[in-house]
């Protein structure tokens, strides 16, 4: 049973860089595209991007200029960096695993979520 | 403004059936797989349907999914008060090369 545990700073000032990490426990790390998704307060889900074990990435075009997703296969971890944050980046951030190795079927395992607040 | 369009809210009585629609285009729903998620307040989304109409292990058959053209539908039968939640559809958008979600539908079980 795969579990995802995520962590990172929860309070940032405008212009700082958001940094989160997600660790994968109990299953295979290779063969999947691992995603980051966020949810602003009271709003819907927004996909940020994804990475596979080889480091191949896809990013949301609306965030692409500020996002970097990286992978550390030795630790079964993947990370998110979002630069130049503003109040609009305040959200709960989730990492997630797809249900199958075939991309984009759906995500069946989610991290516990990290609340990130951007405030001066 | 979400790429996929869902009704903001739906409601029905306990024991009844409800459907939630998700409308898109040929670049997303029309040529990719649709998934549905249930989100209870303060919790992470939970996958209900993947690959248009398949249920993950542990999801009761009260939940069903279908797709036709550029639209998809989530059906829930035998409504329970515990089904009150926000529901989201999602799929890949080939033009954007990005996963996209609907704006979410709040289900109220009256």
């Amino acid at each position: 049973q795969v579990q995802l545990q995520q962590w990172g700073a929860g309070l940032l000032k405008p212009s700082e860089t958001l940094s989160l990490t997600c660790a994968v426990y109990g299953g295979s790390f290779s063969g999947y595209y691992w995603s980051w998704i966020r949810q602003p307060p009271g709003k819907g889900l927004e996909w940020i991007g994804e990475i596979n074990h080889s480091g191949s990435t896809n990013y949301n075009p609306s965030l692409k200029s500020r996002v970097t997703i990286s992978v550390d296969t030795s630790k079964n971890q993947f990370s998110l960096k979002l630069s130049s944050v503003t109040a609009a980046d305040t959200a709960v951030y989730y990492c997630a695993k797809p249900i199958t190795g075939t991309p984009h079927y759906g995500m069946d395992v989610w991290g516990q979520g990290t609340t990130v607040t951007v405030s001066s | 403004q979400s790429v996929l369009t869902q009704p903001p809210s739906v409601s029905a009585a306990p024991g009844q059936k409800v459907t939630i629609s998700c409308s898109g285009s040929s670049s997303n729903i029309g040529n990719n797989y649709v998934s549905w998620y249930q989100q209870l307040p303060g919790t992470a989304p939970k996958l209900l349907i993947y690959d248009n109409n398949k249920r993950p292990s542990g999801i009761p058959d009260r939940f069903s999914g279908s797709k036709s053209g550029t639209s998809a539908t989530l059906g829930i039968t035998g409504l329970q008060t515990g089904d009150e939640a926000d529901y989201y559809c999602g799929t890949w958008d080939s033009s954007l090369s990005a996963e996209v979600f609907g704006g979410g539908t709040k289900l109220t079980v009256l």
Side-chain angles (χ1 to χ4, degrees):
Chain A
Q1 184 81 352
V2 175
Q3 292 185 335
L4 303 181
Q5 184 173 354
Q6 57 181 104
W7 64 88
L11 181 61
L12 297 172
K13 290 181 167 51
S15 81
E16 292 185 334
T17 295
L18 178 157
S19 181
L20 300 174
T21 297
C22 183
V24 180
Y25 298 104
S28 175
F29 188 73
S30 62
Y32 295 101
Y33 269 87
W34 303 88
S35 286
W36 287 100
I37 295 145
R38 70 180 183 178
Q39 185 171 35
K43 296 188 178 181
L45 303 172
E46 181 180 31
W47 183 80
I48 300 169
E50 64 184 4
I51 191 166
N52 71 0
H53 69 285
S54 301
S56 179
T57 56
N58 290 300
Y59 296 135
N60 187 321
S62 68
L63 299 169
K64 188 173 184 176
S65 64
R66 298 193 293 130
V67 172
T68 301
I69 298 177
S70 58
V71 66
D72 185 340
T73 55
S74 68
K75 297 180 180 179
N76 281 9
Q77 295 176 359
F78 60 107
S79 298
L80 168 68
K81 289 190 185 299
L82 180 65
S83 63
S84 305
V85 298
T86 69
D89 296 310
T90 293
V92 177
Y93 287 74
Y94 296 101
C95 55
K97 166 195 163 292
I99 189 167
T100 76
T102 303
H104 316 133
Y105 264 31
M107 289 168 275
D108 69 328
V109 182
W110 293 63
Q112 78 275 21
T114 300
T115 299
V116 176
T117 303
V118 180
S119 174
S120 56
Chain B
Q1 192 81 353
S2 301
V3 173
L4 305 180
T5 301
Q6 297 181 234
S9 64
V10 296
S11 62
Q16 296 301 303
K17 173 181 178 178
V18 71
T19 60
I20 298 173
S21 62
C22 177
S23 177
S25 68
S26 58
S27 66
N28 43 66
I29 291 178
N31 285 284
N32 291 290
Y33 307 104
V34 178
S35 52
W36 288 92
Y37 302 87
Q38 176 193 63
Q39 188 176 34
L40 299 170
T43 68
K46 176 182 180 180
L47 181 65
L48 295 177
I49 299 291
Y50 70 100
D51 188 9
N52 302 328
N53 55 20
K54 294 180 174 57
R55 283 176 286 106
S57 174
I59 301 300
D61 59 6
R62 300 190 298 111
F63 296 91
S64 64
S66 64
K67 187 181 97 168
S68 179
T70 59
S71 293
T73 301
L74 173 70
I76 311 172
T77 60
L79 278 170
Q80 303 171 1
T81 56
D83 295 332
E84 285 203 338
D86 293 323
Y87 292 83
Y88 294 91
C89 58
T91 188
W92 184 254
D93 190 297
S94 303
S95 295
L96 298 173
S97 291
E99 184 81 9
V100 292
F101 294 99
T105 299
K106 183 175 182 61
L107 168 63
T108 301
V109 181
L110 303 168

